[in-house]
Amino acid sequence: ELKTPLTSFSGYLQILSNTVTDEKSQLFLKKTRQQVKKLSSLVSDLLDVSKIEAGKLQLSNESFDIRQVLDNVVELLSHGNHHFHISLETDIDELLITGDPDRIEQVIINLLTNAIRYSPGTNRIIVYLTRDAAEVKVGVRDFGVGIAPEKLKHIFARFYRVDDANPTISGLGIGLYLSHEIIVRHKGRIWVESEPGIGSTLWFTLPSDQ
Ligand code: ADP
């Protein structure tokens, strides 16, 4: 019910931008499309929260290459944020694990988007991928605002935001709650290391395929 009107909204905006020719209208349409995209993503996140609460968040269970997922997300976000240099540091070429690739991609997008949003005035992000016999470990490191030690234990809570520290960065405080739920449902762990003014690294693990 929430998504159907947004989908038709996007469709009609697309038709309009194919027909409108003057520059100013094109610009307004572009801005409108960006806002609809943002609203769609907020609605999806809120629907995911409802699904978790109803015990209805379904996860698929398939074999996929986590290195490939990381490459895709790094490429996607580098494309939309030219100013940032996002590098993937790993000596792993291919790493098959079992789980829900779309949901794991959602977690990585969340962590990287946060790394970008909470790092004004910086331009470097490093993504790590390592493994041992038991687990695969992914890290997203930024050099941004960081998080005060007393706030660290709250950041995975639903609707929690460190808003006093970042009054100009908007958000709902559910990205990390969803990421936590997805990782725990995969039998993994997620945690943060951070220092105010220095930056943050968000880590998660997933079980290795045996
Ligand atoms: P949102 O970013 O929409 O507020 P999240 O659940 O993604 O919600 O994050 C919760 C809070 O954790 C954020 O409001 C922010 O204060 C803090 N946070 C998350 N990631 C970072 C980061 N990379 N650097 C600094 N603070 C962060």
PDB file of all heavy atoms in Angstrom, residues 114-115 117-118 142 145-147 155 160-162 166 171-177 200, ligand 1:
ATOM      1  N   ASN A 114      26.650   5.356   5.521  1.00  0.00           N
ATOM      2  CA  ASN A 114      26.939   6.044   6.787  1.00  0.00           C
ATOM      3  C   ASN A 114      28.359   6.604   6.792  1.00  0.00           C
ATOM      4  O   ASN A 114      28.588   7.735   7.214  1.00  0.00           O
ATOM      5  CB  ASN A 114      26.793   5.086   7.974  1.00  0.00           C
ATOM      6  CG  ASN A 114      25.347   4.917   8.402  1.00  0.00           C
ATOM      7  OD1 ASN A 114      24.475   5.611   7.906  1.00  0.00           O
ATOM      8  ND2 ASN A 114      25.098   3.998   9.312  1.00  0.00           N
ATOM      9  N   ALA A 115      29.319   5.789   6.323  1.00  0.00           N
ATOM     10  CA  ALA A 115      30.715   6.239   6.303  1.00  0.00           C
ATOM     11  C   ALA A 115      30.843   7.535   5.500  1.00  0.00           C
ATOM     12  O   ALA A 115      31.575   8.453   5.880  1.00  0.00           O
ATOM     13  CB  ALA A 115      31.606   5.151   5.716  1.00  0.00           C
ATOM     14  N   ARG A 117      28.193   9.717   4.814  1.00  0.00           N
ATOM     15  CA  ARG A 117      27.387  10.793   5.412  1.00  0.00           C
ATOM     16  C   ARG A 117      28.032  11.383   6.658  1.00  0.00           C
ATOM     17  O   ARG A 117      27.918  12.582   6.902  1.00  0.00           O
ATOM     18  CB  ARG A 117      25.997  10.261   5.781  1.00  0.00           C
ATOM     19  CG  ARG A 117      25.130   9.982   4.570  1.00  0.00           C
ATOM     20  CD  ARG A 117      23.950   9.111   4.926  1.00  0.00           C
ATOM     21  NE  ARG A 117      23.093   9.711   5.927  1.00  0.00           N
ATOM     22  CZ  ARG A 117      22.665   9.081   7.016  1.00  0.00           C
ATOM     23  NH1 ARG A 117      23.034   7.851   7.269  1.00  0.00           N
ATOM     24  NH2 ARG A 117      21.873   9.678   7.857  1.00  0.00           N
ATOM     25  N   TYR A 118      28.680  10.529   7.455  1.00  0.00           N
ATOM     26  CA  TYR A 118      29.238  11.022   8.720  1.00  0.00           C
ATOM     27  C   TYR A 118      30.714  11.403   8.603  1.00  0.00           C
ATOM     28  O   TYR A 118      31.421  11.426   9.599  1.00  0.00           O
ATOM     29  CB  TYR A 118      29.001   9.986   9.836  1.00  0.00           C
ATOM     30  CG  TYR A 118      27.529   9.837  10.142  1.00  0.00           C
ATOM     31  CD1 TYR A 118      26.807   8.736   9.699  1.00  0.00           C
ATOM     32  CD2 TYR A 118      26.840  10.835  10.834  1.00  0.00           C
ATOM     33  CE1 TYR A 118      25.439   8.622   9.933  1.00  0.00           C
ATOM     34  CE2 TYR A 118      25.476  10.733  11.077  1.00  0.00           C
ATOM     35  CZ  TYR A 118      24.787   9.627  10.622  1.00  0.00           C
ATOM     36  OH  TYR A 118      23.437   9.526  10.851  1.00  0.00           O
ATOM     37  N   ASP A 142      36.052   4.796   8.121  1.00  0.00           N
ATOM     38  CA  ASP A 142      36.030   6.188   7.667  1.00  0.00           C
ATOM     39  C   ASP A 142      36.900   7.045   8.565  1.00  0.00           C
ATOM     40  O   ASP A 142      37.387   6.591   9.605  1.00  0.00           O
ATOM     41  CB  ASP A 142      34.577   6.708   7.589  1.00  0.00           C
ATOM     42  CG  ASP A 142      33.922   6.829   8.951  1.00  0.00           C
ATOM     43  OD1 ASP A 142      34.477   7.507   9.838  1.00  0.00           O
ATOM     44  OD2 ASP A 142      32.830   6.247   9.131  1.00  0.00           O
ATOM     45  N   VAL A 145      33.449  11.987  11.638  1.00  0.00           N
ATOM     46  CA  VAL A 145      33.176  12.625  12.944  1.00  0.00           C
ATOM     47  C   VAL A 145      33.395  11.682  14.128  1.00  0.00           C
ATOM     48  O   VAL A 145      33.660  12.149  15.238  1.00  0.00           O
ATOM     49  CB  VAL A 145      31.725  13.182  13.008  1.00  0.00           C
ATOM     50  CG1 VAL A 145      31.532  14.303  12.008  1.00  0.00           C
ATOM     51  CG2 VAL A 145      30.682  12.091  12.798  1.00  0.00           C
ATOM     52  N   GLY A 146      33.281  10.369  13.907  1.00  0.00           N
ATOM     53  CA  GLY A 146      33.452   9.428  15.012  1.00  0.00           C
ATOM     54  C   GLY A 146      32.258   9.452  15.971  1.00  0.00           C
ATOM     55  O   GLY A 146      31.308  10.211  15.796  1.00  0.00           O
ATOM     56  N   ILE A 147      32.326   8.604  16.997  1.00  0.00           N
ATOM     57  CA  ILE A 147      31.217   8.455  17.949  1.00  0.00           C
ATOM     58  C   ILE A 147      31.809   8.462  19.359  1.00  0.00           C
ATOM     59  O   ILE A 147      32.813   7.778  19.615  1.00  0.00           O
ATOM     60  CB  ILE A 147      30.471   7.121  17.701  1.00  0.00           C
ATOM     61  CG1 ILE A 147      29.975   7.034  16.251  1.00  0.00           C
ATOM     62  CG2 ILE A 147      29.296   6.948  18.670  1.00  0.00           C
ATOM     63  CD1 ILE A 147      29.542   5.654  15.814  1.00  0.00           C
ATOM     64  N   ILE A 155      24.263   2.417  19.333  1.00  0.00           N
ATOM     65  CA  ILE A 155      24.023   2.775  17.929  1.00  0.00           C
ATOM     66  C   ILE A 155      23.266   1.712  17.112  1.00  0.00           C
ATOM     67  O   ILE A 155      22.771   2.009  16.043  1.00  0.00           O
ATOM     68  CB  ILE A 155      25.302   3.209  17.170  1.00  0.00           C
ATOM     69  CG1 ILE A 155      26.272   2.056  17.057  1.00  0.00           C
ATOM     70  CG2 ILE A 155      25.951   4.432  17.805  1.00  0.00           C
ATOM     71  CD1 ILE A 155      27.335   2.341  16.001  1.00  0.00           C
ATOM     72  N   TYR A 160      17.711   4.927  17.274  1.00  0.00           N
ATOM     73  CA  TYR A 160      18.726   5.693  18.016  1.00  0.00           C
ATOM     74  C   TYR A 160      19.588   6.516  17.061  1.00  0.00           C
ATOM     75  O   TYR A 160      20.052   6.021  16.039  1.00  0.00           O
ATOM     76  CB  TYR A 160      19.638   4.756  18.830  1.00  0.00           C
ATOM     77  CG  TYR A 160      20.662   5.544  19.619  1.00  0.00           C
ATOM     78  CD1 TYR A 160      20.334   6.104  20.838  1.00  0.00           C
ATOM     79  CD2 TYR A 160      21.946   5.764  19.108  1.00  0.00           C
ATOM     80  CE1 TYR A 160      21.258   6.863  21.547  1.00  0.00           C
ATOM     81  CE2 TYR A 160      22.874   6.519  19.807  1.00  0.00           C
ATOM     82  CZ  TYR A 160      22.523   7.063  21.023  1.00  0.00           C
ATOM     83  OH  TYR A 160      23.432   7.818  21.716  1.00  0.00           O
ATOM     84  N   ARG A 161      19.803   7.774  17.394  1.00  0.00           N
ATOM     85  CA  ARG A 161      20.702   8.636  16.627  1.00  0.00           C
ATOM     86  C   ARG A 161      21.549   9.445  17.595  1.00  0.00           C
ATOM     87  O   ARG A 161      21.052   9.878  18.632  1.00  0.00           O
ATOM     88  CB  ARG A 161      19.920   9.647  15.768  1.00  0.00           C
ATOM     89  CG  ARG A 161      18.889   9.025  14.846  1.00  0.00           C
ATOM     90  CD  ARG A 161      18.574   9.960  13.705  1.00  0.00           C
ATOM     91  NE  ARG A 161      19.712  10.103  12.814  1.00  0.00           N
ATOM     92  CZ  ARG A 161      20.144  11.258  12.333  1.00  0.00           C
ATOM     93  NH1 ARG A 161      19.556  12.380  12.667  1.00  0.00           N
ATOM     94  NH2 ARG A 161      21.190  11.303  11.525  1.00  0.00           N
ATOM     95  N   VAL A 162      22.821   9.672  17.214  1.00  0.00           N
ATOM     96  CA  VAL A 162      23.657  10.555  18.025  1.00  0.00           C
ATOM     97  C   VAL A 162      23.412  11.956  17.479  1.00  0.00           C
ATOM     98  O   VAL A 162      24.281  12.563  16.879  1.00  0.00           O
ATOM     99  CB  VAL A 162      25.154  10.184  17.904  1.00  0.00           C
ATOM    100  CG1 VAL A 162      25.985  10.933  18.938  1.00  0.00           C
ATOM    101  CG2 VAL A 162      25.357   8.694  18.051  1.00  0.00           C
ATOM    102  N   ASN A 166      25.607  15.464  15.400  1.00  0.00           N
ATOM    103  CA  ASN A 166      25.507  15.717  13.951  1.00  0.00           C
ATOM    104  C   ASN A 166      24.160  16.336  13.614  1.00  0.00           C
ATOM    105  O   ASN A 166      23.367  15.726  12.917  1.00  0.00           O
ATOM    106  CB  ASN A 166      25.636  14.413  13.162  1.00  0.00           C
ATOM    107  CG  ASN A 166      26.562  13.423  13.817  1.00  0.00           C
ATOM    108  OD1 ASN A 166      27.741  13.700  13.950  1.00  0.00           O
ATOM    109  ND2 ASN A 166      26.029  12.303  14.255  1.00  0.00           N
ATOM    110  N   GLY A 171      18.418  11.604   9.320  1.00  0.00           N
ATOM    111  CA  GLY A 171      18.309  10.145   9.278  1.00  0.00           C
ATOM    112  C   GLY A 171      17.239   9.690  10.236  1.00  0.00           C
ATOM    113  O   GLY A 171      16.716  10.487  11.019  1.00  0.00           O
ATOM    114  N   LEU A 172      16.897   8.398  10.169  1.00  0.00           N
ATOM    115  CA  LEU A 172      15.836   7.870  11.037  1.00  0.00           C
ATOM    116  C   LEU A 172      16.384   7.025  12.179  1.00  0.00           C
ATOM    117  O   LEU A 172      15.658   6.682  13.108  1.00  0.00           O
ATOM    118  CB  LEU A 172      14.878   6.992  10.224  1.00  0.00           C
ATOM    119  CG  LEU A 172      13.890   7.682   9.300  1.00  0.00           C
ATOM    120  CD1 LEU A 172      13.007   6.627   8.640  1.00  0.00           C
ATOM    121  CD2 LEU A 172      13.024   8.663  10.069  1.00  0.00           C
ATOM    122  N   GLY A 173      17.648   6.624  12.076  1.00  0.00           N
ATOM    123  CA  GLY A 173      18.199   5.768  13.128  1.00  0.00           C
ATOM    124  C   GLY A 173      17.747   4.329  13.020  1.00  0.00           C
ATOM    125  O   GLY A 173      17.596   3.646  14.034  1.00  0.00           O
ATOM    126  N   ILE A 174      17.537   3.832  11.777  1.00  0.00           N
ATOM    127  CA  ILE A 174      17.157   2.417  11.665  1.00  0.00           C
ATOM    128  C   ILE A 174      18.125   1.588  10.811  1.00  0.00           C
ATOM    129  O   ILE A 174      18.070   0.370  10.841  1.00  0.00           O
ATOM    130  CB  ILE A 174      15.713   2.201  11.154  1.00  0.00           C
ATOM    131  CG1 ILE A 174      15.442   3.027   9.923  1.00  0.00           C
ATOM    132  CG2 ILE A 174      14.697   2.466  12.236  1.00  0.00           C
ATOM    133  CD1 ILE A 174      14.018   2.904   9.424  1.00  0.00           C
ATOM    134  N   GLY A 175      19.031   2.258  10.097  1.00  0.00           N
ATOM    135  CA  GLY A 175      19.961   1.514   9.226  1.00  0.00           C
ATOM    136  C   GLY A 175      20.779   0.493  10.000  1.00  0.00           C
ATOM    137  O   GLY A 175      20.913  -0.667   9.578  1.00  0.00           O
ATOM    138  N   LEU A 176      21.329   0.892  11.124  1.00  0.00           N
ATOM    139  CA  LEU A 176      22.179  -0.030  11.890  1.00  0.00           C
ATOM    140  C   LEU A 176      21.350  -1.067  12.647  1.00  0.00           C
ATOM    141  O   LEU A 176      21.807  -2.188  12.867  1.00  0.00           O
ATOM    142  CB  LEU A 176      23.087   0.742  12.858  1.00  0.00           C
ATOM    143  CG  LEU A 176      24.232   1.519  12.205  1.00  0.00           C
ATOM    144  CD1 LEU A 176      25.115   2.173  13.267  1.00  0.00           C
ATOM    145  CD2 LEU A 176      25.085   0.623  11.308  1.00  0.00           C
ATOM    146  N   TYR A 177      20.131  -0.699  13.033  1.00  0.00           N
ATOM    147  CA  TYR A 177      19.221  -1.670  13.662  1.00  0.00           C
ATOM    148  C   TYR A 177      18.934  -2.805  12.665  1.00  0.00           C
ATOM    149  O   TYR A 177      19.035  -3.985  13.005  1.00  0.00           O
ATOM    150  CB  TYR A 177      17.936  -0.948  14.075  1.00  0.00           C
ATOM    151  CG  TYR A 177      16.794  -1.848  14.463  1.00  0.00           C
ATOM    152  CD1 TYR A 177      16.794  -2.518  15.676  1.00  0.00           C
ATOM    153  CD2 TYR A 177      15.700  -2.022  13.613  1.00  0.00           C
ATOM    154  CE1 TYR A 177      15.735  -3.351  16.029  1.00  0.00           C
ATOM    155  CE2 TYR A 177      14.640  -2.848  13.961  1.00  0.00           C
ATOM    156  CZ  TYR A 177      14.661  -3.510  15.170  1.00  0.00           C
ATOM    157  OH  TYR A 177      13.625  -4.324  15.516  1.00  0.00           O
ATOM    158  N   SER A 200      35.584   6.090  12.324  1.00  0.00           N
ATOM    159  CA  SER A 200      34.929   4.873  12.811  1.00  0.00           C
ATOM    160  C   SER A 200      35.217   3.714  11.872  1.00  0.00           C
ATOM    161  O   SER A 200      35.405   3.915  10.667  1.00  0.00           O
ATOM    162  CB  SER A 200      33.404   5.053  12.822  1.00  0.00           C
ATOM    163  OG  SER A 200      33.045   6.266  13.429  1.00  0.00           O
TER     164      SER A 200
HETATM  165  P1  ADP B   1      20.906   7.153  10.737  1.00  0.00           P
HETATM  166  O1  ADP B   1      22.235   7.297  10.101  1.00  0.00           O
HETATM  167  O2  ADP B   1      19.766   7.166   9.783  1.00  0.00           O
HETATM  168  O3  ADP B   1      20.691   8.097  11.872  1.00  0.00           O
HETATM  169  P2  ADP B   1      21.820   4.503  11.592  1.00  0.00           P
HETATM  170  O4  ADP B   1      21.048   3.442  12.304  1.00  0.00           O
HETATM  171  O5  ADP B   1      22.447   4.152  10.297  1.00  0.00           O
HETATM  172  O6  ADP B   1      20.817   5.704  11.428  1.00  0.00           O
HETATM  173  O7  ADP B   1      22.955   5.005  12.584  1.00  0.00           O
HETATM  174  C1  ADP B   1      22.637   5.294  13.943  1.00  0.00           C
HETATM  175  C2  ADP B   1      23.526   6.412  14.466  1.00  0.00           C
HETATM  176  O8  ADP B   1      24.873   5.947  14.593  1.00  0.00           O
HETATM  177  C3  ADP B   1      23.600   7.619  13.540  1.00  0.00           C
HETATM  178  O9  ADP B   1      22.573   8.545  13.796  1.00  0.00           O
HETATM  179  C4  ADP B   1      24.978   8.191  13.855  1.00  0.00           C
HETATM  180  O10 ADP B   1      24.877   9.058  14.960  1.00  0.00           O
HETATM  181  C5  ADP B   1      25.787   6.979  14.272  1.00  0.00           C
HETATM  182  N1  ADP B   1      26.668   6.507  13.177  1.00  0.00           N
HETATM  183  C6  ADP B   1      26.439   5.465  12.345  1.00  0.00           C
HETATM  184  N2  ADP B   1      27.464   5.289  11.498  1.00  0.00           N
HETATM  185  C7  ADP B   1      28.380   6.236  11.797  1.00  0.00           C
HETATM  186  C8  ADP B   1      29.686   6.575  11.266  1.00  0.00           C
HETATM  187  N3  ADP B   1      30.252   5.898  10.267  1.00  0.00           N
HETATM  188  N4  ADP B   1      30.330   7.631  11.854  1.00  0.00           N
HETATM  189  C9  ADP B   1      29.783   8.314  12.874  1.00  0.00           C
HETATM  190  N5  ADP B   1      28.563   8.044  13.401  1.00  0.00           N
HETATM  191  C10 ADP B   1      27.874   7.021  12.872  1.00  0.00           C
END
